[in-house]
Amino acid sequence: MDTPTQIAEPATAGKNFLTGHPRGLSTLFFTELWERFSYYGMRALLTLFMVAPIAQGGLALGTEDAARIYGNYTMAVYMLSIPGGFLADRVLGARRSVLLGGWIIALGHYALAVPSEVTFYAGLVLVAIGTGLFKPNISGLVGALYAKGDERRDAGFSLFYMGINIGAFIAPLITGFLAQSAWFKGWLANAGFDPAASWHWGFAAAGIGMTIAMVLYARGSQDLQEPVTHEDRLLGSGNIWRDGVLAVLGTAALLLLALASDLEGFEWLRWIFLVLPLSAIAYFALRGTEDGKRIAAIGVLFIAAMIFFAIFEQMGTSMALFADRMTDNTLFGAEFPSAWYQSINPIFVILLAPVFALIWMRLGSRQPSPAVKFATGLLFVSASFVLMIPAAKLAADGKVSPLWLCGLFFLQTIGELLLSPVGLSTMTKLAPARMTGIVLGVWFLAAAFGNKLAGVLGGSFESDNTEGLASFFLTQALWVAAAALVLFALAPWVKRLSGDAR
């Protein structure tokens, strides 16, 4: 059965003469660039702001509390993609959902720009709600640009992913400078502003980035096609209230269970992150239908993605703290903001994404299966933490070279390009009819669980215990390597489950 993203020939199939891809890709490229500028610009500051002393404008939270809040917030950002995908599939359509979600995100960032604890938490809530509407549906719009069997699809998602990372590269440089640099703090003091409130100038810059995204999107949205047609939306609208309530209640239940797992004595609830997808794999694989098999394949990739993001998303927790406390943040004798390290991964993506896009285009039908790509990506992220073991031990003698973090981000970037854009593309190919937005919401649920685990793991970061920190990196590297080997073994089965969706 064809999915809504596999119609005979999209209306936007005319090629851009520079890229050879549909014209609408450029609109989505730049919209996502500025949306990711806002998200990563704020994310680069979040943990550092929460652990900073009150005298320096922060919230003076401990590492464990800050990592927990960070993990819960980033989890909610992605988990709300499920009701966001439902609303797009059944009510609003993807184009309207992206527009509405984007403006809610902008309001959230502007709330963060106001220096108070109430507006801080209100801003996080608004950004999470808006991203739930925005994130899965803009990916669905990218998938709708390509007809069934179009070999440009993975390459198109790789280019789209490069746009994400251009925004992610620029963002920490600007927001980190505004929030952390001594020069800007001095300028604020001379201008009569409170230099301790510099964090909120960084948050305001993120809001401006989101506003630019929405202006660009409004100007170019006529080149986009809905991933779910109006006819399919009408066919699925009979039980819209029941299905909507189930989507909202199910998401709320998952959020509450994840939050409850932070309570003492309830940590065992974190096993739901593994038990739920394993149960779904078994249920849908045993059904034997084509759609059921595809959903089972999605479940296997879901678990792999969750494990990947549990390591990768520590970029905003343990890696941010390692950069701030244990790394020599000077260049040619001048000190630079530790938030700038958050731009290393995006610059590697910008350099390597065209290479990966070219590889997938050249290989065509000879490409490795998504499961093999995922397993290889897990091996690279495991290797990145192996690299940090000697770095942690060397930190006992003083701050270490920035090259250690450069190496970590290089290895993680290769893993990311093997998994994240490929995952987005694969979800649009595996999604059953009328479920594109929901399946993409489920994909982002893997990122949600991974982000939650990243917050849990990052909370055990100890900058004053280098031996314990080395063990911290080794243990996680071994678990991820084991997961990669299991996925390699399962890859042929996952390929059979996927049917004709490559």
Side-chain angles (χ1 to χ4, degrees):
M1 184 182 297
D2 289 347
T3 70
T5 60
Q6 296 171 334
I7 53 179
E9 188 68 20
T12 56
K15 295 181 180 179
N16 179 294
F17 76 97
L18 289 176
T19 66
H21 286 269
R23 285 189 298 269
L25 184 62
S26 61
T27 295
L28 299 174
F29 177 96
F30 287 107
T31 301
E32 183 73 346
L33 184 158
W34 284 106
E35 187 273 334
R36 291 291 88 182
F37 172 95
S38 74
Y39 177 77
Y40 286 108
M42 182 270 283
R43 194 195 72 164
L45 308 180
L46 193 55
T47 298
L48 299 175
F49 168 70
M50 288 190 286
V51 301
I54 292 176
Q56 297 176 17
L59 298 181
L61 298 178
T63 299
E64 186 174 356
D65 288 336
R68 175 176 51 80
I69 293 171
Y70 174 91
N72 289 334
Y73 158 69
T74 52
M75 173 188 65
V77 162
Y78 290 104
M79 193 175 290
L80 290 173
S81 295
I82 296 176
F86 173 85
L87 279 172
D89 281 349
R90 305 288 290 275
V91 183
L92 297 174
R95 287 187 293 186
R96 291 180 185 173
S97 296
V98 168
L99 187 65
L100 176 61
W103 285 118
I104 294 173
I105 293 170
L107 288 174
H109 287 304
Y110 289 128
L112 288 167
V114 179
S116 85
E117 194 167 338
V118 172
T119 54
F120 172 75
Y121 290 109
L124 294 184
V125 170
L126 286 170
V127 173
I129 292 171
T131 306
L133 282 167
F134 185 100
K135 191 63 178 168
N137 297 310
I138 195 168
S139 300
L141 290 171
V142 175
L145 296 173
Y146 299 94
K148 179 180 180 179
D150 193 331
E151 296 290 351
R152 299 176 299 169
R153 180 185 290 264
D154 278 7
F157 271 97
S158 290
L159 291 172
F160 177 71
Y161 207 69
M162 185 172 69
I164 290 173
N165 284 276
I166 291 174
F169 165 68
I170 299 170
L173 299 178
I174 295 176
T175 62
F177 171 78
L178 294 173
Q180 291 183 295
S181 73
W183 185 91
F184 187 70
K185 288 177 183 287
W187 180 87
L188 288 176
N190 291 333
F193 297 104
D194 180 7
S198 60
W199 300 101
H200 302 283
W201 289 74
F203 294 141
I208 293 171
M210 193 65 235
T211 302
I212 294 173
M214 287 299 91
V215 172
L216 293 174
Y217 179 78
R219 292 180 61 183
S221 60
Q222 70 275 5
D223 288 329
L224 306 176
Q225 179 169 307
E226 290 286 348
V228 177
T229 66
H230 179 66
E231 292 76 13
D232 278 338
R233 191 175 300 121
L234 289 176
L235 286 172
S237 63
N239 295 312
I240 188 169
W241 290 108
R242 182 200 65 189
D243 294 346
V245 169
L246 288 175
V248 172
L249 290 180
T251 304
L254 286 174
L255 275 169
L256 290 174
L257 285 172
L259 294 174
S261 72
D262 292 329
L263 301 175
E264 187 175 354
F266 289 90
E267 292 86 354
W268 58 270
L269 286 172
R270 289 166 187 159
W271 284 101
I272 63 171
F273 303 154
L274 186 59
V275 171
L276 285 178
L278 284 174
S279 300
I281 292 168
Y283 174 76
F284 285 106
L286 291 173
R287 287 183 65 183
T289 64
E290 181 182 347
D291 283 351
K293 290 178 180 178
R294 290 188 175 196
I295 293 173
I298 289 169
V300 176
L301 300 179
F302 177 101
I303 294 174
M306 178 180 67
I307 294 170
F308 175 87
F309 287 118
I311 304 300
F312 182 79
E313 289 297 339
Q314 288 182 58
M315 200 179 299
T317 53
S318 57
M319 291 301 98
L321 295 171
F322 189 95
D324 194 57
R325 299 173 180 177
M326 307 178 76
T327 308
D328 180 15
N329 300 329
T330 57
L331 184 65
F332 304 119
E335 189 172 358
F336 59 87
S338 63
W340 283 11
Y341 285 103
Q342 302 290 322
S343 290
I344 297 175
N345 165 252
I347 194 62
F348 280 141
V349 174
I350 293 166
L351 295 173
L352 294 176
V355 177
F356 275 79
L358 180 61
I359 291 172
W360 305 145
M361 290 282 279
R362 290 286 177 87
L363 288 175
S365 62
R366 295 177 289 111
Q367 296 178 39
S369 70
V372 171
K373 293 177 183 178
F374 274 45
T376 308
L378 288 175
L379 285 181
F380 273 97
V381 81
S382 173
S384 73
F385 265 32
V386 171
L387 180 68
M388 294 305 293
I389 296 170
K393 292 181 177 180
L394 287 171
D397 298 323
K399 293 189 175 183
V400 301
S401 167
L403 293 177
W404 290 103
L405 286 174
C406 290
L408 169 114
F409 290 131
F410 177 74
L411 292 171
Q412 290 196 351
T413 299
I414 295 176
E416 180 185 7
L417 288 170
L418 285 163
L419 187 142
S420 199
V422 173
L424 285 172
S425 176
T426 303
M427 293 305 108
T428 64
K429 289 183 282 189
L430 291 175
R434 300 187 300 276
M435 290 182 64
T436 301
I438 294 173
V439 167
L440 285 168
V442 170
W443 166 251
F444 288 114
L445 181 62
F449 285 171
N451 273 272
K452 173 60 180 174
L453 293 174
V456 171
L457 295 170
S460 60
F461 178 90
E462 295 179 297
S463 57
D464 56 352
N465 180 3
T466 55
E467 284 299 322
L469 191 57
S471 177
F472 169 90
F473 290 124
L474 175 61
T475 302
Q476 294 181 63
L478 290 175
W479 277 109
V480 175
L485 295 177
V486 171
L487 186 55
F488 274 122
L490 292 175
W493 180 62
V494 175
K495 188 174 182 179
R496 289 195 299 272
L497 290 174
S498 301
D500 60 355
R502 289 189 289 105

